[in-house]
Amino acid sequence: MKSISYWLDYPYKARLALSGSIEADVVIVGAGITGVSAAYHCAKQGLKTVLIEKNTVASGAAGKNGGMVVEGFSVPFVVAIEQMGFDVAKNNWKKTVEARTYVQSLIEDHAIDCDFEQPGSLLMSYDQKEKEFLRVEADMRYRAGFKVELIEHGQQLKDGPFDLELFTPGDCTMHPVKFVRGLARAAEEYGAIIYEETPGLHIDAHTVTTTNGIVRAKRVVLALEGSSQFADSDNVTITHEQAIVTEPLSAEDMAALDWSTGGMFWTLGEDYYNIRKIDSRLFTSGRIDPNFTEEELAAHRDFLVDIIRQRLPSLKHRNISISHHWTAVTVKSSQEQAMIRNRDGIYEIFGNGDFGFTNGMMAGKCIAESFWLLHFR
């Protein structure tokens, strides 16, 4: 069992670190989903772009998620309507649908090999109350023009104690690290310069000082989604999670699941968990206390295995071994979207929450477009 993200566990040769001084229109600190998106879009706009990363591309939060590209928020559409009103919730939800489609177009345009699939996702109900909620959720999404399908128990995920399933056909899965690193190569094709193993030691509005060099730029962007430095921000919640990926299941066990549609599923309520397939493996994660000891983390891993057995009863008496486990930090804004702020001349992007691929990709695109307008005024 390896204590490393499953997505990061493959050979990779890092780019050279920055040595000396360089000037740019934009320097971006942090090569995760948001940072690489910003670098890609800035370079595509014709801006001289430098991206620096203290470790390697996608080694932070980008390499520690579930690799799911889905529409929506961390709350159901019905709850979003209560929080934002119907029109605002519809408009913001629509942006996530567009972002999901945009991610797919980037994969196609740049031939990014990232194990992309579009199996759709399933939102599950366990009891009559949740079943009634799902029917309201589906109805409100229908009214807003979003594609969903209600499926009675036994038609899709046949193995499991579920009463009703809400199927979202457009949701996707991928290898997140291969995608972000593929997009980084596409950014370089547009002229972006990327330095790895280059920590930003001192940062101000126009300068980033690293271990062995300096970047001077008109605009400085911090894209550090996995950092707790944003804890002082209003309406921001920071959560810690542990994730596991199983060893490959047998062909017999996979067939017993009869998971014919939906490459991932979520449960409702406080007892919330998600599970997705990765070929013949399973992924799941759950929240932890950041102060957990090694013994408590080990106990939590056993708990996650029990969750898999509970949600997928055909595996109840099977031997399920863990191949990879890791912890991650999630920064979530109350707006259900990434936040961009200018603090002392430094542009900070954070708050992607549970939907980093949609929020992070679009935030990077947004900041690039605003810089392009400022650059040519």
Side-chain angles (χ1 to χ4, degrees):
M1 181 169 56
K2 300 181 179 179
S3 57
I4 182 176
S5 167
Y6 174 78
W7 314 113
L8 290 165
D9 189 20
Y10 71 93
Y12 177 75
K13 183 178 180 181
R15 294 169 177 81
L16 295 176
L18 173 64
S19 179
S21 298
I22 188 171
E23 295 189 359
D25 294 318
V26 181
V27 58
I28 301 157
V29 181
I33 297 167
T34 306
V36 170
S37 173
Y40 170 86
H41 290 100
C42 282
K44 189 176 181 180
Q45 297 278 16
L47 302 176
K48 184 176 180 181
T49 304
V50 172
L51 173 63
I52 67 170
E53 164 59 44
K54 68 177 181 179
N55 294 311
T56 56
V57 170
S59 60
K64 297 177 181 179
N65 61 75
M68 295 172 274
V69 189
V70 300
E71 69 177 68
F73 313 131
S74 58
V75 296
F77 187 54
V78 171
V79 177
I81 292 172
E82 294 174 354
Q83 295 175 348
M84 309 174 190
F86 182 84
D87 290 340
V88 174
K90 174 183 175 180
N91 183 58
N92 289 347
W93 193 284
K94 182 180 178 182
K95 290 178 181 177
T96 68
V97 176
E98 294 169 347
R100 184 188 61 196
T101 302
Y102 184 60
V103 169
Q104 186 174 357
S105 71
L106 289 172
I107 293 170
E108 294 171 353
D109 291 346
H110 298 286
I112 299 174
D113 181 10
C114 60
D115 306 329
F116 177 85
E117 295 182 353
Q118 194 170 34
S121 67
L122 296 163
L123 183 59
M124 305 298 197
S125 66
Y126 278 97
D127 54 34
Q128 186 61 32
K129 183 179 179 180
E130 291 185 356
K131 190 173 182 178
E132 292 171 358
F133 179 88
L134 271 195
R135 293 194 185 281
V136 175
E137 173 76 5
D139 181 61
M140 296 307 294
R141 291 203 211 176
Y142 284 137
R143 293 187 189 186
F146 301 119
K147 295 180 180 180
V148 291
E149 178 184 354
L150 279 175
I151 302 170
E152 295 297 335
H153 172 54
Q155 293 184 21
Q156 297 299 334
L157 187 56
K158 297 181 181 179
D159 175 70
F162 309 115
D163 290 319
L164 187 70
E165 304 160 2
L166 189 153
F167 178 55
T168 304
D171 286 345
C172 313
T173 60
M174 67 162 75
H175 190 301
V177 172
K178 289 181 179 179
F179 169 76
V180 176
R181 288 176 176 175
L183 190 63
R185 289 190 294 272
E188 289 175 316
E189 292 173 3
Y190 283 118
I193 303 171
I194 302 176
Y195 296 105
E196 295 177 285
E197 299 179 350
T198 301
L201 303 179
H202 177 75
I203 301 170
D204 61 36
H206 298 290
T207 307
V208 177
T209 302
T210 71
T211 306
N212 295 306
I214 297 175
V215 185
R216 296 182 178 87
K218 297 173 183 176
R219 312 283 176 191
V220 175
V221 177
L222 294 188
L224 304 174
E225 176 65 17
S227 171
S228 61
Q229 72 179 71
F230 306 114
D232 64 339
S233 303
D234 294 336
N235 301 317
V236 166
T237 302
I238 296 176
T239 59
H240 298 255
E241 294 187 348
Q242 180 170 225
I244 63 169
V245 169
T246 69
E247 294 283 2
L249 303 180
S250 69
E252 179 184 3
D253 285 341
M254 291 301 293
L257 293 179
D258 200 9
W259 200 336
S260 56
T261 298
M264 65 205 103
F265 74 84
W266 289 266
T267 57
L268 286 166
E270 295 182 1
D271 189 20
Y272 161 82
Y273 285 93
N274 65 80
I275 297 175
R276 69 155 286 194
K277 291 188 295 185
I278 309 173
D279 296 325
S280 60
R281 301 173 188 261
L282 296 174
F283 161 95
T284 191
S285 64
R287 291 185 179 179
I288 57 171
D289 187 305
N291 298 314
F292 267 6
T293 64
E294 287 300 320
E295 291 77 11
E296 289 170 321
L297 287 172
H300 184 259
R301 292 194 290 274
D302 292 338
F303 172 74
L304 291 176
V305 171
D306 286 340
I307 288 294
I308 291 175
R309 291 195 176 104
Q310 292 169 19
R311 300 299 184 267
L312 302 169
S314 66
L315 300 178
K316 185 175 182 179
H317 301 294
R318 300 293 189 179
N319 179 33
I320 300 175
S321 299
I322 299 172
S323 66
H324 297 76
H325 66 89
W326 65 93
T327 58
V329 177
T330 300
V331 183
K332 174 190 171 185
S333 79
S334 61
Q335 302 172 13
E336 298 291 345
Q337 295 178 313
M339 300 177 67
I340 301 175
R341 72 180 179 190
N342 185 334
R343 187 162 66 170
D344 300 325
I346 301 171
Y347 294 84
E348 299 177 332
I349 310 176
F350 59 99
N352 289 336
D354 298 319
F355 294 81
F357 275 104
T358 52
N359 285 337
M361 286 299 301
M362 299 315 286
K365 187 173 185 288
C366 179
I367 198 75
E369 290 171 348
S370 65
F371 285 170
W372 185 85
L373 290 173
L374 290 170
H375 184 74
F376 290 103
R377 275 182 178 175

